[in-house]
Amino acid sequence: MADMKENNMNDGVPSLDETAAEAVRLSVGPRPGAGPEKPRKDRRRIIIGAAAVAVAVLVAGGVCAHRAYESHQASVARQACQSAVADQAKAVKAYKTLLGSDATVAVLKTDAKSVKDAKTVDTLKRAAAVRLPAMVKCDASKAADLDAAAAKAAKASRTVKTDSKALETAVEAVETSKLDKTVADAEALYKATDGKVQDAKTRDALAKAVKARDAGAIAKAVKAVNESKAAKEKADAEARAKAEQEAAAQAAAAQQAQQTRQRSYPSSGSSSNRSYSSGSTGGQYYSGGSYSGGSSYGGTSSGSSDDDYKINIDDLPVTTNPNCDGQHFCPLG
């Protein structure tokens, strides 16, 4: 305070304390023994001028302080906004990286028929087709506007992070559903090929892969089982064809043998044109349904014509000649 008073006196301008003291002195009058006073009018001018200067200084200081405060607040708000925008950019980059990864690209090509639950494919497509929010800019000059921009960037960042999580979950769901379908198909193949493979070890390997839920091992085992199944089917078909050929050959041989026997031993009906005649041994033969020879049969005499005596071959007695084996056209006796 002493320094201020000294500085004010050096500048020729009374301090506020001096102004207040002067006002009090004027109100009570001059002190006894004091020298002559300056005119009252000059003193009032001095007081008014000092007061005006003081007010101006206070106003200027307040304005400067307010502006400094606003500038500080804007600076803090801008830093917060820039930080929020940086988080948003990071979240967007993470989403795009996940979307463009080899795993996601491969899963996006999955057909609905190759998964156990087709809904997982639809969910994945929706998660991969979201529209990312626009990037926020921190180009405002006021703290309030910068705070609003920071809030917008923070909200966008949360949205993108949620989208990334949904995409990641959808990818995993499709992969799991695809494996479930692979395992189910492998189990069905295992059951359907019981006793139908050439090498049973292929089915054992398939069962082991299914239990482990190893997609690569299952694919390899399925291929081996199918090949073994095809090999058995081919072998069975060849065996059936061979058996059919053998059966056909046997049937043809039997038919040929039967035809040979029929040619060698004519039936009884073909003997109706044969005749009996007397031979050198005196035996009698049958000829053309008539009976001829040197002796008579059935009350007829020899020398009768064939037209007069017709004999049915079925009426003739069966020969007892052991060399003829019971044939009617053999010599009687």
Side-chain angles (χ1 to χ4, degrees), residues 189-260:
L189 178 63
Y190 178 82
K191 294 178 181 178
T193 54
D194 186 13
K196 297 181 180 180
V197 294
Q198 195 174 47
D199 185 4
K201 293 181 179 180
T202 58
R203 294 182 70 250
D204 296 338
L206 178 61
K208 184 178 180 180
V210 167
K211 185 177 181 180
R213 290 179 64 86
D214 187 338
I218 289 176
K220 183 178 180 180
V222 166
K223 183 175 182 294
V225 169
N226 286 330
E227 290 176 350
S228 182
K229 181 174 178 289
K232 188 175 189 307
E233 290 175 348
K234 182 180 179 181
D236 292 345
E238 291 175 350
R240 285 194 300 269
K242 184 177 181 181
E244 291 174 357
Q245 290 177 356
E246 292 176 353
Q250 291 176 359
Q255 184 178 6
Q256 184 176 4
Q258 183 179 3
Q259 292 175 353
T260 301

Side-chain angles (χ1 to χ4, degrees), residues 95 98-99 101 103-110 115 117-130 161-179:
Y95 176 86
L98 176 62
L99 183 62
S101 64
T104 303
V105 172
V107 172
L108 284 172
K109 296 178 182 179
T110 302
V115 295
D117 185 3
K119 293 180 180 179
T120 57
V121 176
D122 296 335
T123 302
L124 174 62
K125 291 180 178 179
R126 289 194 299 269
V130 297
K161 289 179 180 179
T162 300
D163 293 338
S164 295
K165 184 63 177 178
L167 178 59
E168 184 178 3
T169 301
V171 169
E172 293 177 355
V174 171
E175 290 176 341
T176 300
S177 185
K178 187 176 181 180
L179 180 58

Side-chain angles (χ1 to χ4, degrees), residues 18-28 47:
E18 290 178 337
T19 303
E22 181 64 19
V24 174
R25 189 182 64 79
L26 291 176
S27 63
V28 298
I47 295 173

Side-chain angles (χ1 to χ4, degrees), residues 73-112:
Q73 291 294 102
S75 178
V76 173
R78 182 171 288 102
Q79 291 178 359
C81 179
Q82 291 173 348
S83 178
V85 170
D87 289 342
Q88 180 188 1
K90 184 178 180 180
V92 170
K93 182 179 180 181
Y95 176 86
K96 291 182 177 180
T97 300
L98 176 62
L99 183 62
S101 64
D102 294 340
T104 303
V105 172
V107 172
L108 284 172
K109 296 178 182 179
T110 302
D111 186 84

Side-chain angles (χ1 to χ4, degrees), residues 12 37 47 72 86 111 114 126 137 144 147 195 211 225 296:
E37 298 180 0
I47 295 173
H72 175 72
D111 186 84
S114 63
R126 289 194 299 269
K137 296 182 180 180
D147 289 341
K211 185 177 181 180
V225 169
S296 64

